[in-house]
Amino acid sequence: MFLDHVQLRVAAGHGGSGAMSFRREKFAPEGGPDGGDGGKGGSIFIRANRALNTLNPYRHKRDFAAERGRQGEGCMRHGRDGLDITLEVPLGTVVKDGETGEVLAELLADGESVCVARGGRGGLGNTNFKSSTNRTPRHHQPGEDGEERNLDLELKLIADVGLVGFPNAGKSTLVSRLSAARPKIADYPFTTLEPQLGVVSLDRFGGDLLDSWVIADIPGLIEGAAGGAGLGIQFLRHVERTRMLLHLVDLSDPITEPAEAIRIIEGEVLAFSPVLAAKPRWLVGTKLDALQDEDRRAAFEAICTDRGQKPVFISGVTGEGLRELAFAVDDALKILAGQKEAVPKDEGW
């Protein structure tokens, strides 16, 4: 099961108490205070780990408490610090305060970490309070309490390109043909039940081995998704970090016209997030091999032309248009990253 949202309760360790002790040795009859300080309580950290891709490790265990600091001892012995706890999460995890909703961190790089609960400071032993007027202090400090906090962890996958469209629009097939990912593919709706990532390397199509990008597939959207219908709306967060979207339109669908399919999906994306809806988006006509009504192709071309986009047609079955699409997306990503200059619209995609 794919888990992308979880609530945790974390508690840092309390600090150890300082000691009240006096030196008692045979040849030191006027021995003074020698109570040591208490140890610091253990803290709790959250760290990004690129080897993880879900929050499944926290499906059953949701409460974490760090070790408390040990108490100080005589002979000015310092109490041992409590051990820290580090919780590993996937890259792209957003850490929020469960009470206020404040974003504490977005962990986007491998090894990046944040302290979410700081351990309590250890108390001072009585040796710290001796003075010329108080040679036998009988005062020592208790340790401070560690921080406790409720956390919301929300995973947003990190990808360059996101796929949106109706169920059975060919999204999973496209991912399987462009990358080594193997999502479930079947001839019924909602075969994709959780987000899928694939790495598209242009060397598969005769390009440079170093040119690659990550594509994300989410469950298909249906009308009313923003209100809770279907599965896709809860996974749209996984394409929020993408740099561009590919909107797949099934040209072989005899029921829904291309214009209507485009309107519905765009409305649901906009209802979910205006920021996501504002990302660069290409319309891609799919299932060209099963197209029987050329009027649908002409209608799709007209829509693309009105938007100033070159029509894009692909077939996941025959492979038609896949190579051109892969190279065009790679160029577009480089343009968005400032690594390449844009070409005139009538010459490029």
Side-chain angles (χ1 to χ4, degrees):
M1 294 290 291
F2 182 86
L3 187 64
D4 61 356
H5 182 264
V6 69
Q7 294 179 324
L8 303 181
R9 175 71 179 173
V10 295
H14 299 312
S17 299
M20 186 183 71
S21 174
F22 295 92
R23 186 180 179 190
R24 294 289 185 268
E25 296 183 20
K26 181 177 181 179
F27 299 105
E30 298 181 356
D34 67 350
D37 300 340
K40 175 180 175 296
S43 299
I44 297 183
F45 297 85
I46 293 183
R47 181 172 62 198
N49 184 342
R50 70 186 315 148
L52 300 177
N53 52 27
T54 77
L55 295 172
N56 279 354
Y58 309 107
R59 178 174 297 277
H60 302 295
K61 182 172 175 56
R62 304 280 179 98
D63 295 314
F64 296 89
E67 186 181 31
R68 67 179 303 144
R70 297 296 178 87
Q71 184 174 334
E73 300 180 5
C75 298
M76 291 188 286
R77 290 193 290 265
H78 192 291
R80 180 172 66 82
D81 292 343
L83 297 178
D84 296 334
I85 289 180
T86 299
L87 306 178
E88 305 275 356
V89 297
L91 272 64
T93 299
V94 180
V95 184
K96 298 180 181 179
D97 186 290
E99 304 295 335
T100 66
E102 175 191 2
V103 176
L104 304 177
E106 292 191 38
L107 305 177
L108 305 178
D110 187 39
E112 185 178 1
S113 66
V114 60
C115 179
V116 293
R118 197 168 299 280
R121 183 179 62 87
L124 298 176
N126 67 335
T127 187
N128 293 278
F129 301 100
K130 64 182 178 182
S131 67
S132 59
T133 58
N134 186 9
R135 295 176 180 271
T136 58
R138 296 184 177 277
H139 175 67
H140 64 102
Q141 291 180 332
E144 295 181 350
D145 292 339
E147 294 180 337
E148 297 185 16
R149 175 174 270 161
N150 292 320
L151 297 176
D152 276 340
L153 303 186
E154 184 179 280
L155 174 60
K156 297 181 180 180
L157 297 178
I158 300 175
D160 299 302
V161 178
L163 301 181
V164 294
F166 275 159
N168 274 17
K171 301 187 302 299
S172 297
T173 302
L174 179 60
V175 171
S176 68
R177 292 300 302 266
L178 291 180
S179 71
R182 291 295 175 264
K184 183 178 180 180
I185 300 171
D187 59 354
Y188 55 85
F190 299 115
T191 52
T192 299
L193 300 178
E194 58 189 46
Q196 301 283 341
L197 290 182
V199 178
V200 181
S201 180
L202 294 193
D203 68 319
R204 294 167 62 96
F205 303 99
D208 193 324
L209 177 63
L210 299 179
D211 288 334
S212 63
W213 38 275
V214 180
I215 189 170
D217 175 25
I218 63 170
L221 300 175
I222 61 175
E223 189 167 15
L231 301 172
I233 195 70
Q234 62 183 308
F235 294 114
L236 273 175
R237 70 170 70 98
H238 295 297
V239 293
E240 280 190 295
R241 287 204 176 99
T242 59
R243 288 186 281 170
M244 64 179 294
L245 300 175
L246 297 182
H247 180 170
L248 272 57
V249 181
D250 182 3
L251 298 181
S252 69
D253 183 355
I255 300 175
T256 308
E257 293 296 324
E260 181 67 5
I262 294 169
R263 181 194 65 79
I264 292 174
I265 297 300
E266 288 183 341
E268 298 302 329
V269 172
L270 179 61
F272 175 80
S273 169
V275 175
L276 180 60
K279 288 182 179 292
R281 182 172 65 253
W282 289 0
L283 298 175
V284 180
T286 65
K287 302 188 180 180
L288 194 60
D289 57 287
L291 177 63
Q292 297 181 351
D293 186 355
E294 286 298 326
D295 290 341
R296 298 179 63 82
R297 176 174 182 145
F300 182 79
E301 287 181 342
I303 295 172
C304 294
T305 301
D306 290 343
R307 298 183 177 210
Q309 176 199 318
K310 181 179 177 180
V312 182
F313 298 99
I314 64 170
S315 169
V317 175
T318 65
E320 182 179 352
L322 296 184
R323 183 180 187 279
E324 294 78 5
L325 177 63
F327 278 91
V329 169
D330 185 70
D331 287 341
L333 292 174
K334 289 177 179 176
I335 292 171
L336 291 173
Q339 300 174 358
K340 187 173 182 178
E341 294 185 0
V343 298
K345 287 185 178 180
D346 57 351
E347 296 180 15
W349 289 66

